Amino acid sequence: MVLYLALYVTALGTGGLKSSVSGFGSDQFDDSDKDEKKQMIKFFNWFYFFVSTGSLAAVTVLVYVQDNVGRGWGYGICAGAIVVALLVFLLGTRKYRFKKLVGSPLTQIAEVFVAAMRKRKLELPSDSSLLFNDYDTKKQTMPHSKQFR
């Protein structure tokens, strides 16, 4: 029972954490600002460097410590690293940028298809700023995209 519980908690933590850490990090930068875009590239370089370094240390240094010093020390180092990472995360919380969620990507895709079906017989205006002439102050409009023009 303990083994299965540990496996499920590990899978849940790994799936929930690893997939969102890089996205949360990229949310800290404004993609439209040139300087912040350069900082975001630098962030990802350092992020993946430390992820790779941590993986290398886990399979070399920690295995050596567990084999030669004791398993308790190996697990203790891991637990200590997790506590330090959690403290650093919590201490920096006030400085984080939080982006407001706009909803599910599937909902946005569905909105595009519905809008395309409704407006399929309309003529394309010469000025692209006229494409969004029905602003509703309560509803957020989707940003312009040239991808499916």
Side-chain angles (χ1 to χ4, degrees):
M1 175 86 173
V2 173
L3 173 67
Y4 287 118
L5 180 65
L7 288 174
Y8 287 128
V9 169
T10 302
L12 180 67
T14 301
L17 179 73
K18 283 188 177 183
S19 61
S20 62
V21 169
S22 60
F24 183 72
S26 69
D27 283 348
Q28 304 308 306
F29 302 97
D30 185 9
D31 202 21
S32 62
D33 185 15
K34 257 186 175 178
D35 291 334
E36 287 199 24
K37 197 169 189 176
K38 288 179 183 177
Q39 289 176 348
M40 182 168 49
I41 292 170
K42 192 182 289 189
F43 163 77
F44 277 111
N45 287 338
W46 282 108
F47 176 76
Y48 284 109
F49 172 76
F50 282 113
V51 165
S52 300
T53 304
S55 298
L56 180 65
V59 296
T60 55
V61 175
L62 284 176
V63 170
Y64 177 81
V65 168
Q66 285 182 347
D67 287 344
N68 296 317
V69 180
R71 291 207 178 266
W73 277 99
Y75 289 125
I77 292 171
C78 291
I82 290 171
V83 169
V84 168
L86 180 63
L87 287 175
V88 168
F89 177 77
L90 293 176
L91 288 173
T93 302
R94 291 184 182 173
K95 296 183 179 185
Y96 295 148
R97 292 180 183 171
F98 294 101
K99 291 188 177 178
K100 192 174 182 180
L101 297 175
V102 279
S104 169
L106 297 177
T107 305
Q108 292 178 352
I109 292 170
E111 285 178 1
V112 169
F113 282 116
V114 169
M117 289 303 293
R118 286 183 181 168
K119 298 180 180 183
R120 69 184 179 272
K121 294 182 181 178
L122 296 177
E123 286 189 38
L124 186 65
S126 58
D127 184 12
S128 64
S129 66
L130 298 174
L131 289 174
F132 292 105
N133 58 358
D134 54 345
Y135 284 107
D136 185 5
T137 57
K138 295 179 183 175
K139 185 177 177 186
Q140 179 182 359
T141 59
M142 295 182 60
H144 287 280
S145 171
K146 293 183 180 179
Q147 185 178 4
F148 298 111
R149 189 175 167 92

